[in-house]
Amino acid sequence: MQTRIRFTASKAPAAQEAFARLVNRYGQSDQRRASVIVALGGDGFMLQTLHAQSGRDLPVYGMNCGTIGFLMNAYSDDGLPERLAQAEEALLNPLSMRAENVRGKISQALAVNEVSLLRQGPQAARLKVSVDGRERLAELVCDGALLATPAGSTAYNYSAHGPILPIGAEVLALTAMSAFRPRRWRGALLPKGAQVRFDVLDPDKRPVMVDADSRNSVRDVISVLIHSDPAISYRLLFDPGHGLEERLIREQFV
């Protein structure tokens, strides 16, 4: 059966140029009839594309026209239908975030990589951390904290000195940024099914904001509830031998 390709591209000039070449060569499928999305850009655009595909169950094959491109394949004009036919699929369950701010407003969002809480002012945040309804840290004083999926473990989590997680690992990484109390706390590995709650202990003096994949910011939060959502799966396609498992291993030997 012929692969019906729908191309999307970031606004970067390199991505727009690639978009024009590929559409001219392979055509552009109607969005309602497409069997695969080919995303042209960097990791940020891949996350944007995945969020836009929620509920459509279409696989996404990325080609790097950005900078790092951890979630992308190498770019080439040639042999795209053959590459798509041979591609290996990875399924990712996003994190579901529910945040309440000081005015009682509830905000919800999904995150493929991580949900991060960040201090909103000059003073460190004071957080209480609970897992599955049980208090685990009565006070975490830090610049911020995040909960990352295996797919997101090489992104913000890794920059914050969190662990790299194998893509098939049934765990999440809870990582603090610049922890002051407990001194140099290195974080924790939690079961994938865990429900994590952050409570902001001093929201007036030490305000905190929360981000889901650095794209859904909520300011002045007082509590954030996060869990992995098994009911939602994002489908990513990778060239054989270059899937997420290999990339996560390779990243640790750079």
Side-chain angles (χ1 to χ4, degrees), residues 5-244:
I5 305 172
R6 176 74 179 180
F7 293 99
T8 61
S10 72
K11 295 180 180 179
Q16 289 294 314
E17 292 169 8
F19 176 84
R21 288 195 302 271
L22 291 169
V23 169
N24 182 63
R25 183 167 180 175
Y26 298 107
Q28 175 75 315
S29 175
D30 181 88
Q31 188 169 357
R32 292 168 296 181
R33 299 183 65 252
S35 58
V36 63
I37 302 294
V38 172
L40 307 169
D43 286 338
F45 185 69
M46 171 58 85
L47 293 176
Q48 179 182 328
T49 302
L50 291 175
H51 285 293
Q53 294 308 310
S54 291
R56 298 196 61 213
D57 197 36
L58 281 180
V60 180
Y61 180 90
M63 285 204 286
N64 189 23
C65 298
T67 50
I68 297 175
F70 184 80
L71 297 173
M72 316 298 277
N73 298 282
Y75 178 82
S76 175
D77 290 352
D78 300 324
L80 181 56
E82 291 75 20
R83 291 176 73 180
L84 292 173
Q86 298 169 12
E88 301 170 348
E89 184 173 284
L91 296 178
L92 304 180
N93 299 123
L95 297 173
S96 176
M97 175 199 84
R98 182 181 186 275
E100 182 179 357
N101 70 8
V102 294
R103 294 172 293 279
K105 181 181 178 180
I106 303 297
S107 300
Q108 300 186 64
L110 298 175
V112 177
N113 277 355
E114 78 282 314
V115 173
S116 53
L117 287 84
L118 305 166
R119 70 176 190 179
Q120 198 174 294
Q123 299 196 63
R126 290 181 64 235
L127 307 172
K128 181 175 74 172
V129 182
S130 303
V131 180
D132 292 331
R134 181 176 178 182
E135 182 182 295
R136 291 295 181 177
L137 280 178
E139 182 185 57
L140 172 60
V141 181
C142 56
D143 281 349
L146 61 84
L147 190 68
T149 66
S153 65
T154 61
Y156 195 0
N157 172 71
Y158 193 36
S159 298
H161 306 290
I164 293 179
L165 306 176
I167 194 63
E170 295 290 303
V171 295
L172 303 172
L174 173 57
T175 302
M177 286 84 87
S178 303
F180 175 74
R181 186 180 299 119
R183 182 74 72 178
R184 299 187 184 91
W185 184 66
R186 296 303 300 270
L189 294 178
L190 303 176
K192 183 179 179 181
Q195 187 173 78
V196 180
R197 180 184 174 101
F198 295 95
D199 288 287
V200 180
L201 297 179
D202 198 353
D204 294 327
K205 183 178 179 181
R206 301 168 184 264
V208 171
M209 63 184 294
V210 64
D211 277 332
D213 279 348
S214 300
R215 59 188 301 272
N216 290 285
S217 297
V218 182
R219 297 175 67 85
D220 300 314
V221 296
I222 58 172
S223 67
V224 181
L225 195 62
I226 312 165
H227 69 277
S228 179
D229 193 337
I232 302 174
S233 292
Y234 296 121
R235 302 167 61 192
L236 273 71
L237 299 178
F238 294 97
D239 294 329
H242 297 277
L244 280 180

